[in-house]
Amino acid sequence: MIGYIFNNSKAGKVGYSLPPSDVPKAELPKGLVNEKELDLPEVTEVEVVRHVTAMAKETYGVDTGFYPLGSCTMKYNPRINEELATLEGFVNLHPDTPIEGCQGALEMMYNLDKHFCAITGMDAFTLAPAAGAHGEMTGMSIIHQYHKSRGDTKRNKVLIPDSAHGTNPASAVASGFETVTIPSNSSGGVDMDALDKNMTDEIAGLMLTNPNTAGIFDPNICEIARIVHSRGGLLYYDGANLNALMGISRPGDFGFDVVHLNLHKTFSTPHGGGGPGSAPVGVKDFLKPYLPVPHVAKNGDTYYFDYNMPKSMGRIRATWGNFLVLLKAYCYIRTMGPKGLKQASEHAVLSANYIRVKINDLYPEGFPGLCMHECVMSGSPLKKFNVLTKDVSKRLMDYGFHPPTNYFPLIIPEAIMIEPTESESKEMVDSFIAAMRAIYKEAEEGKIDFSLTPLTKEVSRVDETKAARTPILRWTKKA
Ligand SMILES: *Cc1c(COP(=O)(O)O)cnc(C)c1O
């Protein structure tokens, strides 16, 4: 069906009807008038409708099926939160409304800040940053500002483990630091000797994801924090995916000084499709003066934007941040409650470990042992059948599943990173496991040509570089 509209254009087919013009024809200045025939497909209305519907049917999302994309938390988001975020009073709120006219919105932001503090163990949050990477840049700029204000100007490097998300080094550099890579140890955690050796008086801090992108919780976290702090560094926590920790443990209690959260992963905003997202950044008390302006504050019974922050790192975004995304997070936290959030984390961790032990005889885990909200397996054993991780992923599409994350983290060969999240039923997880096992068997038997998979989709293998660099985004008439 896709391509129908492109292939069935025929001169004279019309898909609209307009009444005759009842105003005089206006003369346009020469040069602005298009003298050439437009290259547009000529089709009927029903053909357009079918084309658009066919395209929509090819779109895959959490609402259509299981989406185990690791490091991304593609979970189902309760519709009630979407509905509340469309309430007129919020949607139509003008950004320049005087504070007496938007007390409710400010109160929501003030309370959300407090909820994030309770969940993470931090003391204050800015709600302004618009995405994970933006939050990282905000947090690292706060760290930069902190050292600078103390005259500690030698600290211009940041330690980042080799398992880190690619945005970490990019954000550190964007905030004026150089990066030093710390290798992982044999269990997937931070190599303590390397940390010890590299934690010098030139290091501003350590950026850490815990559980990390291998799905592993680093048991040395308290010792890591001690080493970094005792030598004058600060700890930055990449909390893009908080789905393993909510209600169970808190980065603030591990010793982290700065934290960001991706609301578009963990807190009820759909992830993907280009946003809008939001990544609030939380800090411990001693860093509060460095937060971006303005900060939502309260004086007696009145909420307001505090601009009087002389040590602030400055402004990072428009005053309200992505307000409606914040609102969804607020509704999510309030409807789930402390017990519900904890249950979500427990369920997410259980699902990931269930998948891990049900397939690790065929796809061994990158690092053995319990994982957190995601499990990272390896497709290496299939290499002997000339089948790679990406082939497994393409074949999964034929079984009706969105592929997991592939080839990340880089430290695990043929990585298959699976994040089932808490929102899937056991039946759905079981059918995914069955598909993974069936695909292994297909590879072993060698009866299908994996290089042609997916076999059931409109498009099979695309040249991914070409698709990204020179996409064809509009119809042109065939010569
Ligand atoms: C998604 C993610 C990020 C980046 O978040 P964006 O909103 O895509 O910028 C950073 N770190 C980790 C661990 C992530 O999973």
Side-chain angles (χ1 to χ4, degrees), residues 12-309:
K13 278 199 211 172
V14 174
Y16 68 90
S17 58
L18 292 176
S21 172
D22 58 358
V23 290
K25 202 169 161 181
E27 286 304 322
L28 285 171
K30 265 232 164 324
L32 288 183
V33 182
N34 189 359
E35 315 259 338
K36 277 192 302 191
E37 269 298 299
L38 284 180
D39 264 358
L40 293 174
E42 292 179 66
V43 286
T44 64
E45 177 173 322
V46 68
E47 286 171 327
V48 173
V49 170
R50 285 183 187 151
H51 169 74
V52 172
T53 307
M55 298 249 281
K57 275 163 79 179
E58 287 298 314
T59 306
Y60 194 97
V62 171
D63 291 353
T64 43
F66 186 42
Y67 206 132
L69 198 69
S71 198
C72 286
T73 314
M74 306 296 285
K75 66 186 189 179
Y76 177 77
N77 296 300
R79 284 300 181 272
I80 182 74
N81 304 329
E82 294 290 335
E83 205 163 316
L84 293 168
T86 61
L87 287 177
E88 241 179 84
F90 291 123
V91 174
N92 295 332
L93 190 62
H94 192 280
D96 288 335
T97 307
I99 58 159
E100 39 305 352
C102 55
Q103 283 293 301
L106 287 168
E107 181 180 357
M108 186 284 288
M109 290 168 86
Y110 184 87
N111 289 341
L112 185 60
D113 177 345
K114 299 279 178 275
H115 289 312
F116 286 144
C117 287
I119 291 169
T120 59
M122 307 308 284
D123 296 317
F125 269 82
T126 171
L127 306 176
H134 198 208
E136 292 168 24
M137 196 186 99
T138 305
M140 293 314 290
S141 302
I142 290 170
I143 290 177
H144 198 265
Q145 198 67 10
Y146 165 77
H147 289 305
K148 201 172 118 192
S149 75
R150 301 168 74 238
D152 198 351
T153 50
K154 220 169 22 167
R155 296 188 188 268
N156 55 13
K157 294 183 182 148
V158 174
L159 304 179
I160 303 178
D162 58 4
S163 61
H165 193 276
T167 49
N168 287 190
S171 307
V173 169
S175 318
F177 293 110
E178 283 172 48
T179 62
V180 179
T181 306
I182 300 290
S184 300
N185 63 24
S186 58
S187 341
V190 172
D191 182 314
M192 297 302 282
D193 291 336
L195 175 68
D196 186 38
K197 198 173 105 221
N198 286 288
M199 187 56 227
T200 65
D201 61 2
E202 288 185 349
I203 302 295
L206 168 71
M207 288 183 93
L208 199 66
T209 314
N210 192 29
N212 64 16
T213 61
I216 304 291
F217 186 88
D218 199 319
N220 294 324
I221 184 59
C222 293
E223 179 59 9
I224 293 169
R226 193 195 62 75
I227 293 173
V228 175
H229 281 153
S230 68
R231 300 181 199 170
L234 297 184
L235 276 106
Y236 183 94
Y237 184 82
D238 178 341
N241 310 278
L242 208 71
N243 236 26
L245 295 197
M246 289 183 302
I248 297 171
S249 58
R250 310 191 306 170
D253 299 334
F254 311 152
F256 285 93
D257 304 293
V258 187
V259 166
H260 89 263
L261 307 173
N262 277 19
L263 305 192
H264 48 291
K265 286 180 184 169
T266 312
F267 292 97
S268 197
T269 278
H271 180 202
S278 173
V281 171
V283 294
K284 288 280 175 64
D285 250 334
F286 72 100
L287 292 175
K288 205 174 152 185
Y290 305 94
L291 283 174
V293 276
H295 191 243
V296 180
K298 190 179 178 185
N299 183 7
D301 287 337
T302 308
Y303 300 92
Y304 67 103
F305 283 120
D306 187 3
Y307 286 90
N308 184 18
M309 300 168 65

Side-chain angles (χ1 to χ4, degrees), residues 180-443:
V180 179
T181 306
I182 300 290
S184 300
N185 63 24
S186 58
S187 341
V190 172
D191 182 314
M192 297 302 282
D193 291 336
L195 175 68
D196 186 38
K197 198 173 105 221
N198 286 288
M199 187 56 227
T200 65
D201 61 2
E202 288 185 349
I203 302 295
L206 168 71
M207 288 183 93
L208 199 66
T209 314
N210 192 29
N212 64 16
T213 61
I216 304 291
F217 186 88
D218 199 319
N220 294 324
I221 184 59
C222 293
E223 179 59 9
I224 293 169
R226 193 195 62 75
I227 293 173
V228 175
H229 281 153
S230 68
R231 300 181 199 170
L234 297 184
L235 276 106
Y236 183 94
Y237 184 82
D238 178 341
N241 310 278
L242 208 71
N243 236 26
L245 295 197
M246 289 183 302
I248 297 171
S249 58
R250 310 191 306 170
D253 299 334
F254 311 152
F256 285 93
D257 304 293
V258 187
V259 166
H260 89 263
L261 307 173
N262 277 19
L263 305 192
H264 48 291
K265 286 180 184 169
T266 312
F267 292 97
S268 197
T269 278
H271 180 202
S278 173
V281 171
V283 294
K284 288 280 175 64
D285 250 334
F286 72 100
L287 292 175
K288 205 174 152 185
Y290 305 94
L291 283 174
V293 276
H295 191 243
V296 180
K298 190 179 178 185
N299 183 7
D301 287 337
T302 308
Y303 300 92
Y304 67 103
F305 283 120
D306 187 3
Y307 286 90
N308 184 18
M309 300 168 65
K311 283 190 180 174
S312 164
M313 61 161 282
R315 192 185 261 279
I316 193 80
R317 202 178 183 278
T319 308
W320 291 88
N322 276 334
F323 178 79
L324 298 177
V325 177
L326 303 175
L327 185 58
K328 281 187 261 188
Y330 181 76
C331 297
Y332 179 68
I333 291 168
R334 294 306 307 271
T335 49
M336 294 290 276
K339 268 200 202 135
L341 292 178
K342 183 173 182 207
Q343 209 175 14
S345 285
E346 287 172 345
H347 201 139
V349 173
L350 179 64
S351 295
N353 278 288
Y354 181 69
I355 291 176
R356 181 178 64 81
V357 298
K358 288 282 188 182
I359 63 171
N360 67 2
D361 55 329
L362 308 180
Y363 305 88
E365 57 250 81
F367 296 101
L370 275 180
C371 64
M372 294 291 124
H373 58 292
E374 56 199 356
C375 57
V376 186
M377 316 306 281
S378 172
S380 291
L382 285 83
K383 272 187 153 172
K384 58 180 177 283
F385 314 129
N386 278 326
V387 172
L388 301 173
T389 279
K390 69 172 174 204
D391 301 323
V392 174
S393 280
K394 295 289 185 193
R395 185 63 177 150
L396 271 171
M397 294 165 75
D398 288 327
Y399 282 85
F401 296 107
H402 191 282
T405 298
N406 289 186
Y407 301 108
F408 181 75
L410 304 173
I411 52 175
I412 294 168
E414 294 295 311
I416 309 177
M417 180 193 230
I418 305 164
E419 183 180 0
T421 80
E422 74 279 15
S423 42
E424 297 302 331
S425 67
K426 177 162 182 297
E427 288 70 27
M428 179 55 87
V429 173
D430 277 335
S431 61
F432 174 77
I433 291 165
M436 288 295 284
R437 301 194 68 88
I439 291 169
Y440 186 94
K441 194 140 180 261
E442 286 175 340

